[in-house]
């Protein structure tokens, strides 16, 4: 009788699979969960329409930061050019805001796995 040969699983394959899984969980981008309390966008306070974030960074005209409260349910943030209502123009004390929300609009919720599209900073 011949001895039974045992096959060993390749550690390279296992490490590759684990790395790919980790990348897929952490690289979710927009439309994912964030750890911040609010989503921060730029809004024209006169027309109530969303503006590109650069308009607020450059402090031009009636542009100002606008915040949407995030909860465990997904919140749709409007795209640039759409009406931006139902939020607040003041970030409550002690709260954090996710920045960099897609200008195409995004579905964002608080908590869980995934990327944030955020710099993790407080709004100002």
């Amino acid at each position: 009788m011949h001895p039974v040969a045992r096959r060993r699983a390749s550690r390279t394959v296992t490490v590759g699979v684990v790395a790919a899984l980790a990348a897929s969980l952490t690289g979710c981008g927009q439309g994912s969960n964030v750890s911040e309390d609010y989503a921060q966008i730029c809004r024209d306070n006169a027309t109530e329409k969303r503006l590109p974030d650069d308009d607020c960074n450059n402090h031009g005209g009636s542009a100002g930061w606008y915040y949407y409260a995030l909860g465990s349910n997904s919140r749709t943030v409007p795209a640039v050019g759409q009406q931006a209502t139902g939020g607040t123009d003041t970030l409550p004390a002690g709260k954090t805001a996710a920045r960099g929300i897609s200008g195409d609009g995004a579905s964002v919720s608080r908590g869980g796995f995934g990327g944030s599209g955020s710099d993790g900073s407080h709004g100002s």
Side-chain angles (χ1 to χ4, degrees), residues 13 22 37 61 65-67 74 94 99 102 104-106 119:
V13 171
D37 304 300
W65 292 116
Y66 195 70
Y67 305 94
S74 185
R99 292 184 180 191
S102 172
D104 295 331
D119 66 5

Side-chain angles (χ1 to χ4, degrees), residues 64-83:
W65 292 116
Y66 195 70
Y67 305 94
Y68 285 104
L70 300 175
S72 58
N73 293 327
S74 185
R75 173 78 183 237
T76 300
V77 177
V80 169
Q82 291 182 333
Q83 284 295 121

Side-chain angles (χ1 to χ4, degrees), residues 31-53:
S32 63
N33 296 327
V34 298
S35 61
E36 290 80 9
D37 304 300
Y38 286 76
Q40 176 180 312
I41 63 167
C42 184
R43 181 178 90 148
D44 183 316
N45 293 320
T47 65
E48 296 186 338
K49 291 190 177 182
R50 183 171 178 190
L51 299 170
D53 285 355

